[in-house]
Amino acid sequence: MKKFIVIPDSYKGTLSSENICKIMAEAILKRFPEAQVITLPVADGGEGTVAAFLQAVGGKRIEAIVTGPLGAKVLAFYGLLPDGIAVIEMAAAAGLPLVGENLLVGKTTTYGVGELIAHAVEHGAKKILLGLGGSATNDGGCGMAAALGVVFKDKNGVSFLPTGTTLVNIASIDISAVKDKLLNIPITIMCDIDNPLYGSKGAAYVFAPQKGATPQELPMLDEGLNHLADVIEQDLGLSVAQLPGAGAAGGMGAGAVAFLGGELTPGIEAVLNVVKFNELLEGADMVFTGEGCFDSQSLMGKVISGILKRTYAKNIPVIAVVGGIKELPEDAYSKGLKAIFSINQLPQALEEAAPHSKENLARTMDNILRLML
């Protein structure tokens, strides 16, 4: 009996990883009805991460009322897996959809993310898996930290809740309370970008414009993150400014490391560890993966590269079925990729091809599997 593992990322804006898993699995069982097919939908830390983990390993979706990015209460959620890992999408409490048309990145807060973490800990979480992505914020994770007990004071010794525009007012940081609250609870931060905290490639200049920042606001927001890094180094003895991924989610990458003692890791590595991918590979004949667009970045820390690192060591072939192929690095096949196929049937723009993605994926999978018969 053949064993197939299906582990795709989503085709962003077109097909979710869950839908891709379903289509791929149906195609496999059509041609190999006796096969064992293991489906593992993947998300990168943003929207869909909790759902992907719950589908892959089971667990409970837990809802909680928390503080939204603009201060109003919102209904957020997280996943509690059977082994006590709490999977949290920061976007559930501080995401762009929660602000609607009110794009006020200088005033938004990650406070609700901290409340979700606290709720998970109170409900028995033994480890936190925090997904970064889709945020409406630029507060360096200070809101999250404050919700967990970190105290920020200004030059007059008055405590306050920093946001993007008021990071420059931080004079001191005290994390003693959060150390007690999160004692012996490891925090893994899913992050798939390597931007530093500030500067031309930092959180403000690269990501804040899509959250509503004007060109005039960017220097101020960037200065705030620069100042935050200085105070973190002064009071906590940590240098986070140039840490790869520090600029993720409005500086949440830096904040989660500095305030929570978290560890930044590529999202796919965290996923593969949690689902025990190495164990699942035992006896596998083939792995199917995919993403929306294959390019030079696909083999540099994204889903496909993470999978290839583990399958290559076990000599298990991997086929990537993708929305489109923009670039194909020369070393793609030497890293364990057996073949790569685009589902697009015609030279069409994305808006024309997207509505046909389901049938195009099913047809492409069927053609691949016919070759394997």
Side-chain angles (χ1 to χ4, degrees), residues 74-111:
V74 299
L75 179 63
F77 62 89
Y78 60 92
L80 190 60
L81 307 185
D83 56 2
I85 297 177
V87 182
I88 297 173
E89 299 172 18
M90 72 161 296
L96 271 173
L98 297 177
V99 302
E101 299 297 317
N102 298 313
L103 298 175
L104 303 170
V105 64
K107 297 181 179 179
T108 47
T109 181
T110 55
Y111 196 91

Side-chain angles (χ1 to χ4, degrees), residues 11-370:
Y11 296 173
K12 295 290 191 294
T14 305
L15 289 175
S16 69
S17 53
E18 290 92 344
N19 284 334
I20 296 169
C21 280
K22 183 174 183 292
I23 294 167
M24 286 185 168
E26 287 176 351
I28 292 169
L29 292 171
K30 177 182 177 182
R31 297 298 170 189
F32 295 90
E34 303 300 320
Q36 178 187 6
V37 182
I38 298 172
T39 58
L40 299 167
V42 174
D44 59 6
E47 185 179 357
T49 298
V50 169
F53 271 104
L54 291 178
Q55 181 173 331
V57 300
K60 297 183 293 184
R61 185 181 191 271
I62 297 177
E63 295 182 342
I65 301 294
V66 300
T67 304
L70 291 173
K73 294 298 182 181
V74 299
L75 179 63
F77 62 89
Y78 60 92
L80 190 60
L81 307 185
D83 56 2
I85 297 177
V87 182
I88 297 173
E89 299 172 18
M90 72 161 296
L96 271 173
L98 297 177
V99 302
E101 299 297 317
N102 298 313
L103 298 175
L104 303 170
V105 64
K107 297 181 179 179
T108 47
T109 181
T110 55
Y111 196 91
V113 182
E115 291 178 311
L116 277 183
I117 293 173
H119 191 279
V121 172
E122 290 165 3
H123 286 74
K126 298 180 177 66
K127 179 178 180 179
I128 304 293
L129 190 58
L130 177 61
L132 306 189
S135 78
T137 56
N138 200 82
D139 70 351
C142 290
M144 169 194 66
L148 290 164
V150 174
V151 178
F152 299 91
K153 292 184 178 180
D154 63 19
K155 63 181 181 181
N156 297 315
V158 178
S159 61
F160 73 107
L161 176 62
T163 60
T165 56
T166 60
L167 291 176
V168 292
N169 298 331
I170 300 174
S172 67
I173 302 172
D174 180 358
I175 66 169
S176 56
V178 75
K179 280 186 174 181
D180 293 336
K181 184 168 290 187
L182 298 180
L183 187 65
N184 298 322
I185 298 180
I187 298 180
T188 299
I189 311 152
M190 297 174 65
C191 175
D192 287 330
I193 63 170
D194 58 5
N195 299 70
L197 182 57
Y198 58 82
S200 62
K201 295 183 179 180
Y205 280 106
V206 175
F207 302 111
Q210 68 197 49
K211 306 173 187 181
T214 65
Q216 294 73 32
E217 290 176 300
L218 294 178
M220 172 196 63
L221 294 172
D222 188 65
E223 180 186 355
L225 293 169
N226 190 332
H227 178 74
L228 174 63
D230 289 342
V231 183
I232 287 173
E233 188 161 9
Q234 164 196 294
D235 287 5
L236 308 183
L238 294 173
S239 178
V240 296
Q242 299 303 315
L243 189 67
M252 176 73 98
V257 171
F259 307 134
L260 310 184
E263 179 183 358
L264 287 164
T265 188
I268 185 58
E269 295 297 336
V271 170
L272 297 179
N273 288 338
V274 170
V275 302
K276 297 181 172 58
F277 187 65
N278 288 359
E279 296 177 20
L280 294 176
L281 282 176
E282 295 300 325
D285 296 287
M286 177 74 69
V287 173
F288 282 99
T289 185
E291 61 183 1
C293 181
F294 190 96
D295 58 23
S296 60
Q297 299 299 307
S298 297
L299 300 180
M300 299 175 63
K302 291 193 174 182
V303 168
I304 294 176
S305 67
I307 291 168
L308 290 176
K309 285 180 184 176
R310 304 192 186 207
T311 55
Y312 184 75
K314 295 178 179 290
N315 198 31
I316 298 172
V318 176
I319 293 179
V321 185
V322 302
I325 303 172
K326 184 177 181 181
E327 299 170 85
L328 186 58
E330 291 183 4
D331 61 349
Y333 299 113
S334 65
K335 292 186 175 180
L337 191 62
K338 185 72 172 178
I340 178 168
F341 297 87
S342 169
I343 68 169
N344 288 323
Q345 308 294 307
L346 296 169
Q348 294 176 315
L350 177 61
E351 56 269 20
E352 295 179 85
H356 306 288
S357 294
K358 287 184 178 180
E359 54 262 44
N360 286 346
L361 173 58
R363 185 183 297 117
T364 303
M365 283 293 298
D366 192 59
N367 280 325
I368 295 169
L369 292 158
R370 282 173 178 271

